[in-house]
Amino acid sequence: MRLIPCLALSALLCAAGAASADTLLVDRAQHKAHVALPERGLSAAQVQARFGAPTEKLDPRGGQKRQWPTINRWVYPAFTVYFERDRVIDAVLNQAHASEVGPKPAIR
């Protein structure tokens, strides 16, 4: 007889915990698989032709030694593109809002 109220209470507590969970960037990225991102190996000119001018070009990082190539970063509204010299090495989705748990913002 006491089993049914305990089960109902535990189900209610589980639902309440899920409702207050953080949104993970990984979850949003999996749901938004249709977002077009630049492919690895494209040139900077090809990225600009396909996606337009970036909203911001961040300062380059690296390049202090020959074995440390310069990494350039272009920020678009939905994603950031990372270039080694002028070739895409990666593109990642940006955080949708400040409460979303994901990568730290780029160092400016």
Side-chain angles (χ1 to χ4, degrees):
M1 190 75 167
R2 299 176 97 182
L3 182 62
I4 294 174
C6 288
L7 288 175
L9 180 61
S10 62
L12 181 63
L13 289 174
C14 288
S20 66
D22 290 330
T23 302
L24 295 177
L25 179 61
V26 174
D27 295 338
R28 186 170 56 86
Q30 289 171 349
H31 293 302
K32 300 237 178 189
H34 65 278
V35 173
L37 294 174
E39 298 88 26
R40 185 181 179 110
L42 288 178
S43 70
Q46 290 171 318
V47 171
Q48 192 158 1
R50 189 175 296 172
F51 297 97
T55 55
E56 184 177 8
K57 289 185 180 182
L58 300 175
D59 292 334
R61 296 290 180 195
Q64 295 90 340
K65 293 186 177 180
R66 188 170 181 231
Q67 62 266 41
W68 297 343
T70 301
I71 305 297
N72 293 296
R73 301 162 297 162
W74 290 4
V75 179
Y76 286 87
F79 56 88
T80 301
V81 185
Y82 294 83
F83 296 92
E84 182 177 315
R85 295 180 184 87
D86 86 324
R87 295 289 172 177
V88 173
I89 56 172
D90 203 4
V92 295
L93 291 174
N94 297 332
Q95 288 183 328
H97 47 80
S99 66
E100 183 174 70
V101 179
K104 293 180 180 175
I107 298 171
R108 301 197 185 264

